[in-house]
Amino acid sequence: FGFYFSEYISRLLFSTSDYQLPVLIVFLLSSFSLMNSLPLTLLRLQEQSKKFVFLQLTSFIIGLVSIIYFVVFESYGVLGVFYGKLVVSLVSFIVLNFTIKNNIIISFNFPETKKMLLFGLPLIPQPLGKVIIHSSDRYFLNYFYGLEESGLYNLAYVFATVATILIGNPFGLVWRPISLSHKDSPDSKVFFARSMTYLCLLGSLLTLAFEIL
């Protein structure tokens, strides 16, 4: 899909075909993100929280280093950000699938696929709406003020959400299966209270350290 429509989408969003390659890379990143979600979901279901958080943090660091390399040392500019993200997506795909290699079985189960579609299709509007809300501001900034202002805004947005990226997202993904497994335990109140205390403490310390820097 990306190979055939990247030029058209570039013209639609930016009124030029000069951004055909970044649009194509975005399609590749979306594909890798979809494929990487399966191993990550399996780690969550197996409650391998330490491995999950380690892989997420390692992925973030590799992505940050890759982007700095392509932008600063190779002078690719904005395109370097896409190259950096593509590198970390590819590395994550290889590492994650190697991690769950013993759980991979190539087969197709139509009844299970039907159940998943019936369950998953009604949930599509929510994440789609979330993407539109979080991304539409860039489109309007680009339309009214140009790509430079949009790029600066996006960079500031990344710095503002560093605590969410490092703590909130990994914790949120791991927390749901763990919390469900402890909801009926006798010490559930203590477990939930202690977990939230540690989360708030770690988030506050990280935010404070980032503000000082």
Side-chain angles (χ1 to χ4, degrees):
F1 182 86
F3 285 101
Y4 290 104
F5 294 99
S6 56
E7 182 178 357
Y8 171 76
I9 294 175
S10 175
R11 292 184 182 277
L12 177 65
L13 296 177
F14 307 106
S15 302
T16 177
S17 60
D18 294 342
Y19 301 99
Q20 181 179 354
L21 180 58
V23 170
L24 178 59
I25 294 176
V26 168
F27 276 102
L28 291 174
L29 290 174
S30 300
S31 300
F32 277 120
S33 177
L34 181 63
M35 291 185 289
N36 289 342
S37 64
L38 180 60
L40 290 174
T41 301
L42 180 61
L43 292 177
R44 290 167 58 192
L45 292 174
Q46 294 176 342
E47 298 186 6
Q48 299 187 43
S49 55
K50 292 182 179 180
K51 182 181 292 186
F52 181 91
V53 173
F54 173 77
L55 290 173
Q56 288 288 84
L57 291 177
T58 303
S59 176
F60 175 78
I61 294 172
I62 294 175
L64 185 62
V65 172
S66 300
I67 291 173
I68 293 174
Y69 171 76
F70 284 112
V71 173
V72 177
F73 296 100
E74 295 296 331
S75 302
Y76 280 112
V78 176
L79 195 59
V81 177
F82 292 95
Y83 286 150
K85 290 186 175 182
L86 187 60
V87 167
V88 71
S89 295
L90 180 59
V91 172
S92 297
F93 174 75
I94 295 173
V95 173
L96 286 171
N97 282 277
F98 178 78
T99 303
I100 65 164
K101 64 182 185 301
N102 295 328
N103 300 96
I104 298 177
I105 299 176
I106 301 177
S107 64
F108 183 81
N109 190 318
F110 182 77
E112 290 297 325
T113 303
K114 183 179 179 180
K115 292 180 182 178
M116 288 188 289
L117 289 175
L118 290 174
F119 178 82
L121 288 177
L123 302 177
I124 291 178
Q126 186 272 332
L128 183 61
K130 182 179 179 181
V131 170
I132 293 174
I133 292 174
H134 282 275
S135 304
S136 59
D137 49 358
R138 278 83 161 177
Y139 176 79
F140 288 110
L141 276 173
N142 175 56
Y143 182 81
F144 288 107
Y145 297 102
L147 286 175
E148 183 177 353
E149 291 295 328
S150 179
L152 290 174
Y153 171 82
N154 189 63
L155 180 62
Y157 188 91
V158 171
F159 280 112
T161 57
V162 64
T164 302
I165 295 172
L166 291 177
I167 298 178
N169 290 344
F171 180 83
L173 292 172
V174 174
W175 175 248
R176 183 171 298 177
I178 294 178
S179 61
L180 289 175
S181 65
H182 284 82
K183 66 182 182 67
D184 296 323
S185 62
D187 60 340
S188 59
K189 292 184 178 180
V190 177
F191 172 77
F192 289 129
R194 187 172 298 172
S195 299
M196 292 300 103
T197 300
Y198 290 152
L199 175 64
C200 292
L201 178 61
L202 184 59
S204 300
L205 290 175
L206 179 62
T207 304
L208 179 61
F210 185 76
E211 290 295 330
I212 293 175
L213 294 175

